[in-house]
Amino acid sequence: MSSFPAVRLRRFRRTAALRGLAAETRLDLRDFVMPLFACPGEGVVRPLEGLPAIAQRSVDELCREAEELQALGVRALLLFGIPESKDDEASGAYDADGIVQRALRELQARCPELVLLTDVCLCEYTAHGHCGVVSGEGIDNDASLELLARTAVSHAEAGAAAVCPSDMMDGRVGRIREALDDAGLTETPIVSYAAKYASAFYGPFREVAESTPAFGDRRSYQLDGANVREALRECELDVREGADALLVKPALPYLDVIRAVRERFDLPVWAYNVSGEYALVKAAAARGWLDERQAALESLTAIKRAGADVVVSYWTGELARWL
Ligand code: PBG
Protein backbone atom coordinates (compact mmCIF):
# COMPACT_ATOMS: atom_id res chain seq x y z
CA MET A 1 0.00 0.00 0.00
CA SER A 2 2.51 2.62 1.09
CA SER A 3 4.66 2.47 -1.98
CA PHE A 4 4.47 3.38 -5.66
CA PRO A 5 2.06 3.84 -7.39
CA ALA A 6 -0.09 4.77 -4.37
CA VAL A 7 2.73 6.94 -3.10
CA ARG A 8 3.98 9.63 -5.46
CA LEU A 9 6.25 12.18 -3.80
CA ARG A 10 6.10 14.39 -6.87
CA ARG A 11 2.48 15.37 -6.00
CA PHE A 12 3.66 18.07 -3.61
CA ARG A 13 6.31 19.31 -6.02
CA ARG A 14 3.89 20.15 -8.84
CA THR A 15 3.53 23.92 -8.27
CA ALA A 16 5.43 26.59 -6.40
CA ALA A 17 2.50 26.98 -4.00
CA LEU A 18 2.42 23.26 -3.19
CA ARG A 19 6.19 23.23 -2.73
CA GLY A 20 5.77 26.18 -0.39
CA LEU A 21 3.35 24.19 1.77
CA ALA A 22 5.75 21.26 1.85
CA ALA A 23 8.85 23.32 2.69
CA GLU A 24 10.43 22.23 5.98
CA THR A 25 12.83 25.15 6.25
CA ARG A 26 12.17 28.83 5.59
CA LEU A 27 14.37 31.88 5.45
CA ASP A 28 13.25 34.68 7.74
CA LEU A 29 15.20 37.93 7.94
CA ARG A 30 14.82 37.91 11.73
CA ASP A 31 17.31 35.03 11.82
CA PHE A 32 20.06 36.85 9.92
CA VAL A 33 22.93 39.04 11.01
CA MET A 34 24.89 41.34 8.68
CA PRO A 35 28.63 41.87 9.35
CA LEU A 36 29.92 45.44 8.91
CA PHE A 37 33.45 46.87 9.05
CA ALA A 38 34.16 50.23 10.67
CA CYS A 39 37.32 52.17 9.77
CA PRO A 40 38.74 55.58 10.72
CA GLY A 41 38.03 58.77 8.79
CA GLU A 42 35.00 60.48 7.34
CA GLY A 43 33.16 59.83 4.11
CA VAL A 44 35.20 56.66 3.58
CA VAL A 45 33.68 53.73 1.66
CA ARG A 46 36.52 51.42 0.70
CA PRO A 47 35.33 48.39 -1.28
CA LEU A 48 37.65 45.42 -1.30
CA GLU A 49 38.41 43.23 -4.24
CA GLY A 50 38.48 40.04 -2.20
CA LEU A 51 35.02 40.48 -0.70
CA PRO A 52 32.66 41.81 -3.39
CA ALA A 53 29.91 44.22 -2.31
CA ILE A 54 31.44 44.55 1.18
CA ALA A 55 33.41 47.65 2.20
CA GLN A 56 35.27 49.24 5.06
CA ARG A 57 33.26 52.30 6.09
CA SER A 58 33.98 55.25 8.33
CA VAL A 59 31.46 55.65 11.14
CA ASP A 60 29.32 58.23 9.28
CA GLU A 61 29.08 55.96 6.22
CA LEU A 62 28.49 52.94 8.42
CA CYS A 63 25.48 54.71 9.95
CA ARG A 64 24.12 55.49 6.49
CA GLU A 65 24.52 51.84 5.48
CA ALA A 66 22.90 50.67 8.73
CA GLU A 67 19.90 52.94 8.14
CA GLU A 68 19.51 51.50 4.65
CA LEU A 69 19.74 47.93 5.92
CA GLN A 70 17.22 48.69 8.65
CA ALA A 71 14.80 50.14 6.10
CA LEU A 72 15.10 46.86 4.16
CA GLY A 73 14.15 44.89 7.26
CA VAL A 74 17.56 43.81 8.57
CA ARG A 75 17.45 43.51 12.38
CA ALA A 76 20.99 42.78 13.53
CA LEU A 77 24.56 43.79 12.73
CA LEU A 78 27.89 42.25 13.73
CA LEU A 79 30.56 44.93 13.99
CA PHE A 80 34.27 44.61 13.25
CA GLY A 81 36.79 47.42 13.51
CA ILE A 82 39.91 48.46 11.65
CA PRO A 83 41.82 50.66 14.10
CA GLU A 84 43.94 53.73 13.38
CA SER A 85 47.04 51.92 14.58
CA LYS A 86 47.99 48.48 15.89
CA ASP A 87 50.32 47.44 18.69
CA ASP A 88 51.38 44.36 20.63
CA GLU A 89 48.82 44.94 23.41
CA ALA A 90 45.89 45.40 20.98
CA SER A 91 45.08 48.61 22.83
CA GLY A 92 42.65 49.73 20.12
CA ALA A 93 40.42 46.78 21.00
CA TYR A 94 39.51 48.04 24.48
CA ASP A 95 39.98 51.79 24.05
CA ALA A 96 36.77 53.51 25.22
CA ASP A 97 37.19 55.71 22.17
CA GLY A 98 38.19 52.89 19.81
CA ILE A 99 36.71 52.41 16.38
CA VAL A 100 34.05 49.85 17.36
CA GLN A 101 33.13 51.75 20.52
CA ARG A 102 32.61 54.96 18.51
CA ALA A 103 30.61 53.09 15.89
CA LEU A 104 28.42 51.57 18.61
CA ARG A 105 27.60 54.92 20.19
CA GLU A 106 26.84 56.53 16.85
CA LEU A 107 24.78 53.60 15.56
CA GLN A 108 22.81 53.38 18.76
CA ALA A 109 21.85 57.03 18.49
CA ARG A 110 20.94 56.80 14.80
CA CYS A 111 19.33 53.31 14.66
CA PRO A 112 18.13 52.45 18.18
CA GLU A 113 16.08 49.49 16.95
CA LEU A 114 19.00 47.62 15.39
CA VAL A 115 20.57 44.84 17.46
CA LEU A 116 24.29 45.65 17.61
CA LEU A 117 26.60 42.70 18.14
CA THR A 118 30.37 42.88 18.31
CA ASP A 119 33.14 40.47 17.41
CA VAL A 120 35.47 40.28 20.41
CA CYS A 121 38.98 39.42 19.26
CA LEU A 122 42.43 40.96 19.23
CA CYS A 123 43.57 40.07 15.71
CA GLU A 124 42.44 43.30 14.04
CA TYR A 125 44.26 45.29 16.73
CA THR A 126 47.55 43.48 17.18
CA ALA A 127 50.53 44.44 15.04
CA HIS A 128 51.25 40.73 14.44
CA GLY A 129 47.63 39.87 13.55
CA HIS A 130 47.20 37.02 16.04
CA CYS A 131 44.06 36.69 18.16
CA GLY A 132 45.98 36.77 21.45
CA VAL A 133 49.12 38.10 23.11
CA VAL A 134 52.33 36.79 21.51
CA SER A 135 54.99 35.46 23.82
CA GLY A 136 58.10 33.88 22.33
CA GLU A 137 56.98 31.66 19.47
CA GLY A 138 53.47 31.17 20.77
CA ILE A 139 50.25 32.81 21.94
CA ASP A 140 49.95 33.31 25.69
CA ASN A 141 46.47 32.06 26.51
CA ASP A 142 46.06 33.42 30.03
CA ALA A 143 47.57 36.82 29.30
CA SER A 144 45.13 37.17 26.41
CA LEU A 145 42.08 36.58 28.62
CA GLU A 146 42.51 39.87 30.44
CA LEU A 147 42.58 41.89 27.21
CA LEU A 148 39.62 40.01 25.74
CA ALA A 149 37.59 40.63 28.91
CA ARG A 150 38.45 44.33 28.81
CA THR A 151 37.40 44.45 25.16
CA ALA A 152 34.06 42.78 25.84
CA VAL A 153 33.31 45.14 28.73
CA SER A 154 34.17 48.21 26.69
CA HIS A 155 31.90 47.03 23.85
CA ALA A 156 29.02 46.42 26.23
CA GLU A 157 29.57 49.79 27.90
CA ALA A 158 29.48 51.46 24.48
CA GLY A 159 26.13 49.84 23.72
CA ALA A 160 26.69 46.33 22.31
CA ALA A 161 23.55 44.22 22.74
CA ALA A 162 25.70 41.08 22.93
CA VAL A 163 29.39 40.25 22.65
CA CYS A 164 30.77 37.48 20.43
CA PRO A 165 34.26 36.24 21.40
CA SER A 166 35.98 34.69 18.36
CA ASP A 167 39.56 34.29 19.62
CA MET A 168 39.43 30.60 20.70
CA MET A 169 41.52 31.09 23.85
CA ASP A 170 40.71 28.56 26.60
CA GLY A 171 38.61 29.98 29.40
CA ARG A 172 37.66 33.20 27.73
CA VAL A 173 33.89 32.83 28.06
CA GLY A 174 34.15 32.43 31.83
CA ARG A 175 36.59 35.32 32.14
CA ILE A 176 34.40 37.59 29.99
CA ARG A 177 31.25 36.64 31.94
CA GLU A 178 33.00 37.46 35.20
CA ALA A 179 34.25 40.81 33.88
CA LEU A 180 30.83 41.77 32.49
CA ASP A 181 29.15 40.89 35.78
CA ASP A 182 31.76 42.79 37.79
CA ALA A 183 31.04 45.84 35.63
CA GLY A 184 27.31 45.48 36.32
CA LEU A 185 26.66 44.26 32.78
CA THR A 186 24.79 41.16 33.91
CA GLU A 187 22.24 41.50 31.10
CA THR A 188 24.75 41.32 28.24
CA PRO A 189 24.68 37.89 26.56
CA ILE A 190 27.76 36.09 25.27
CA VAL A 191 27.48 34.49 21.84
CA SER A 192 30.52 32.26 21.89
CA TYR A 193 32.29 31.27 18.68
CA ALA A 194 32.58 27.93 20.43
CA ALA A 195 33.39 25.77 17.41
CA LYS A 196 35.62 27.93 15.31
CA TYR A 197 37.83 26.03 12.91
CA ALA A 198 41.23 27.00 11.49
CA SER A 199 39.93 27.59 7.98
CA ALA A 200 41.15 28.66 4.56
CA PHE A 201 37.68 30.15 4.04
CA TYR A 202 38.56 33.21 6.19
CA GLY A 203 40.94 34.44 3.48
CA PRO A 204 38.82 37.31 2.06
CA PHE A 205 37.84 38.52 5.54
CA ARG A 206 41.45 38.97 6.54
CA GLU A 207 41.94 41.36 3.64
CA VAL A 208 38.96 43.46 4.76
CA ALA A 209 39.80 43.30 8.46
CA GLU A 210 43.54 43.65 7.78
CA SER A 211 44.19 40.81 10.19
CA THR A 212 46.35 38.28 8.36
CA PRO A 213 48.89 36.91 10.88
CA ALA A 214 52.38 38.29 10.21
CA PHE A 215 53.89 34.88 11.03
CA GLY A 216 52.59 31.35 11.43
CA ASP A 217 48.90 30.55 11.39
CA ARG A 218 46.01 30.11 13.82
CA ARG A 219 46.20 26.34 14.15
CA SER A 220 47.51 26.47 17.72
CA TYR A 221 44.20 27.93 18.91
CA GLN A 222 41.47 27.30 16.31
CA LEU A 223 39.94 23.83 15.87
CA ASP A 224 41.30 21.24 13.47
CA GLY A 225 38.85 20.62 10.61
CA ALA A 226 39.19 16.89 11.16
CA ASN A 227 37.41 17.01 14.52
CA VAL A 228 33.79 17.08 15.63
CA ARG A 229 33.97 15.49 19.10
CA GLU A 230 36.52 18.11 20.08
CA ALA A 231 34.08 20.80 18.89
CA LEU A 232 31.44 19.37 21.22
CA ARG A 233 33.93 19.55 24.11
CA GLU A 234 34.56 23.21 23.26
CA CYS A 235 30.80 23.80 23.35
CA GLU A 236 30.40 21.91 26.62
CA LEU A 237 33.09 24.03 28.30
CA ASP A 238 31.60 27.27 26.97
CA VAL A 239 28.16 26.28 28.25
CA ARG A 240 29.66 25.65 31.69
CA GLU A 241 31.46 29.00 31.56
CA GLY A 242 28.20 30.80 30.86
CA ALA A 243 27.79 31.10 27.08
CA ASP A 244 24.28 32.16 26.04
CA ALA A 245 24.55 30.91 22.45
CA LEU A 246 26.99 28.66 20.57
CA LEU A 247 28.36 29.58 17.16
CA VAL A 248 29.83 27.23 14.57
CA LYS A 249 32.16 28.66 11.95
CA PRO A 250 32.59 28.26 8.97
CA ALA A 251 29.12 26.98 8.08
CA LEU A 252 28.93 25.12 4.78
CA PRO A 253 31.99 22.86 5.19
CA TYR A 254 30.83 22.11 8.77
CA LEU A 255 27.09 21.38 8.45
CA ASP A 256 27.62 18.12 10.35
CA VAL A 257 29.06 20.11 13.25
CA ILE A 258 26.04 22.44 13.27
CA ARG A 259 23.80 19.36 13.37
CA ALA A 260 25.80 17.73 16.15
CA VAL A 261 25.77 20.90 18.29
CA ARG A 262 22.03 21.31 17.64
CA GLU A 263 21.35 17.77 18.83
CA ARG A 264 23.57 17.91 21.91
CA PHE A 265 22.70 21.35 23.33
CA ASP A 266 19.53 23.31 23.97
CA LEU A 267 21.21 26.70 23.61
CA PRO A 268 20.58 28.75 20.49
CA VAL A 269 22.92 27.61 17.72
CA TRP A 270 24.41 30.22 15.42
CA ALA A 271 26.42 29.65 12.27
CA TYR A 272 28.79 32.00 10.44
CA ASN A 273 28.56 31.75 6.66
CA VAL A 274 32.09 33.11 6.26
CA SER A 275 33.79 35.32 3.71
CA GLY A 276 35.24 32.49 1.60
CA GLU A 277 31.88 30.72 1.31
CA TYR A 278 30.37 33.96 0.06
CA ALA A 279 33.27 35.01 -2.15
CA LEU A 280 33.42 31.78 -4.07
CA VAL A 281 29.77 32.04 -5.10
CA LYS A 282 30.30 35.70 -6.01
CA ALA A 283 33.34 34.82 -8.11
CA ALA A 284 31.57 32.00 -9.95
CA ALA A 285 28.50 34.21 -10.52
CA ALA A 286 30.70 36.98 -11.95
CA ARG A 287 31.93 34.46 -14.53
CA GLY A 288 28.39 33.40 -15.34
CA TRP A 289 29.03 29.91 -13.92
CA LEU A 290 26.09 29.92 -11.56
CA ASP A 291 23.13 32.03 -10.51
CA GLU A 292 24.11 33.97 -7.38
CA ARG A 293 20.63 34.39 -5.94
CA GLN A 294 19.78 30.71 -6.26
CA ALA A 295 23.16 29.56 -4.97
CA ALA A 296 22.94 31.94 -2.01
CA LEU A 297 19.39 30.96 -1.08
CA GLU A 298 20.32 27.28 -1.35
CA SER A 299 23.40 27.80 0.84
CA LEU A 300 21.49 29.72 3.52
CA THR A 301 18.64 27.18 3.50
CA ALA A 302 21.17 24.36 3.96
CA ILE A 303 22.69 26.11 6.99
CA LYS A 304 19.23 26.55 8.56
CA ARG A 305 18.25 22.97 7.70
CA ALA A 306 21.40 21.67 9.39
CA GLY A 307 20.11 23.23 12.61
CA ALA A 308 21.27 26.85 12.87
CA ASP A 309 18.83 29.22 14.55
CA VAL A 310 20.73 32.33 13.51
CA VAL A 311 23.02 32.83 10.51
CA VAL A 312 25.66 35.51 10.18
CA SER A 313 26.01 36.15 6.46
CA TYR A 314 27.35 38.78 4.06
CA TRP A 315 24.25 38.04 1.96
CA THR A 316 21.92 39.44 4.66
CA GLY A 317 21.48 42.79 2.88
CA GLU A 318 20.81 41.11 -0.45
CA LEU A 319 18.55 38.56 1.24
CA ALA A 320 16.42 41.43 2.47
CA ARG A 321 15.90 42.46 -1.15
CA TRP A 322 15.31 38.91 -2.37
CA LEU A 323 12.71 37.84 0.21
C1 PBG B 1 38.43 37.26 14.16
C2 PBG B 1 37.49 36.75 13.14
C3 PBG B 1 37.75 36.13 11.89
C4 PBG B 1 36.52 35.97 11.26
C5 PBG B 1 35.55 36.43 12.14
N1 PBG B 1 36.17 36.89 13.31
C6 PBG B 1 39.03 35.81 11.22
C7 PBG B 1 39.93 34.78 11.70
O1 PBG B 1 39.75 34.14 12.73
O2 PBG B 1 40.94 34.60 11.02
C8 PBG B 1 36.30 35.41 9.89
C9 PBG B 1 35.03 35.80 9.24
C10 PBG B 1 34.94 35.54 7.79
O3 PBG B 1 35.80 34.90 7.16
O4 PBG B 1 33.95 35.99 7.22
N2 PBG B 1 39.19 36.33 14.81
Side-chain angles (χ1 to χ4, degrees):
M1 164 58 191
S2 52
S3 64
F4 179 82
V7 176
R8 290 177 184 270
L9 293 181
R10 287 183 56 193
R11 285 177 192 133
F12 255 115
R13 295 180 199 149
R14 208 162 41 80
T15 66
L18 282 168
R19 289 192 293 274
L21 288 174
E24 299 171 30
T25 309
R26 290 178 210 285
L27 299 180
D28 183 325
L29 214 46
R30 285 173 294 190
D31 299 335
F32 285 84
V33 178
M34 180 69 184
L36 289 182
F37 298 87
C39 71
E42 237 190 272
V44 181
V45 179
R46 193 178 301 128
L48 290 129
E49 211 195 322
L51 202 48
I54 305 296
Q56 296 177 347
R57 290 182 165 84
S58 51
V59 174
D60 55 328
E61 291 292 340
L62 197 76
C63 288
R64 195 169 320 187
E65 174 75 0
E67 282 170 342
E68 218 166 283
L69 289 166
Q70 189 179 23
L72 286 167
V74 172
R75 309 277 188 108
L77 306 178
L78 176 61
L79 299 177
F80 293 89
I82 296 99
E84 208 112 22
S85 63
K86 305 177 186 235
D87 54 37
D88 286 346
E89 296 78 44
S91 52
Y94 43 87
D95 180 351
D97 211 27
I99 185 69
V100 166
Q101 291 81 351
R102 274 188 283 136
L104 282 166
R105 283 193 291 268
E106 201 65 33
L107 281 167
Q108 224 192 5
R110 295 258 298 260
C111 310
E113 267 120 76
L114 275 175
V115 175
L116 305 174
L117 310 161
T118 59
D119 186 86
V120 173
C121 197
L122 305 182
C123 63
E124 294 121 62
Y125 306 90
T126 48
H128 46 68
H130 276 290
C131 303
V133 176
V134 168
S135 151
E137 306 268 281
I139 312 300
D140 185 336
N141 189 88
D142 299 11
S144 306
L145 298 184
E146 205 40 54
L147 304 187
L148 290 162
R150 258 198 252 174
T151 304
V153 169
S154 83
H155 287 177
E157 281 174 342
V163 292
C164 314
S166 71
D167 52 283
M168 289 301 280
M169 296 300 127
D170 285 324
R172 93 275 203 203
V173 171
R175 182 66 199 95
I176 288 172
R177 181 72 271 158
E178 183 185 32
L180 287 170
D181 290 353
D182 286 349
L185 298 158
T186 55
E187 298 297 315
T188 305
I190 300 174
V191 177
S192 174
Y193 287 68
K196 176 172 178 178
Y197 287 88
S199 173
F201 289 96
Y202 306 149
F205 169 95
R206 291 181 188 164
E207 186 203 338
V208 185
E210 300 177 6
S211 65
T212 306
F215 63 90
D217 54 36
R218 303 207 206 288
R219 289 177 190 279
S220 79
Y221 41 103
Q222 298 178 345
L223 277 163
D224 183 338
N227 300 348
V228 62
R229 292 192 300 270
E230 190 185 347
L232 294 173
R233 293 188 72 196
E234 283 283 3
C235 291
E236 179 71 50
L237 290 167
D238 285 1
V239 171
R240 273 195 240 158
E241 289 175 32
D244 297 283
L246 300 169
L247 186 145
V248 176
K249 171 186 175 186
L252 292 173
Y254 297 90
L255 294 178
D256 60 319
V257 179
I258 296 174
R259 168 57 47 191
V261 174
R262 165 77 297 148
E263 281 172 4
R264 178 80 66 92
F265 301 96
D266 290 329
L267 279 79
V269 176
W270 293 36
Y272 199 138
N273 174 223
V274 303
S275 58
E277 302 172 43
Y278 165 88
L280 59 88
V281 171
K282 284 273 185 199
R287 283 163 181 74
W289 291 348
L290 49 71
D291 180 273
E292 183 189 355
R293 181 172 178 275
Q294 282 180 35
L297 293 175
E298 186 176 333
S299 300
L300 299 174
T301 301
I303 296 166
K304 294 285 300 178
R305 190 197 61 234
D309 299 301
V310 175
V311 183
V312 181
S313 176
Y314 300 97
W315 272 305
T316 299
E318 281 154 291
L319 184 65
R321 293 184 181 92
W322 293 333
L323 290 181

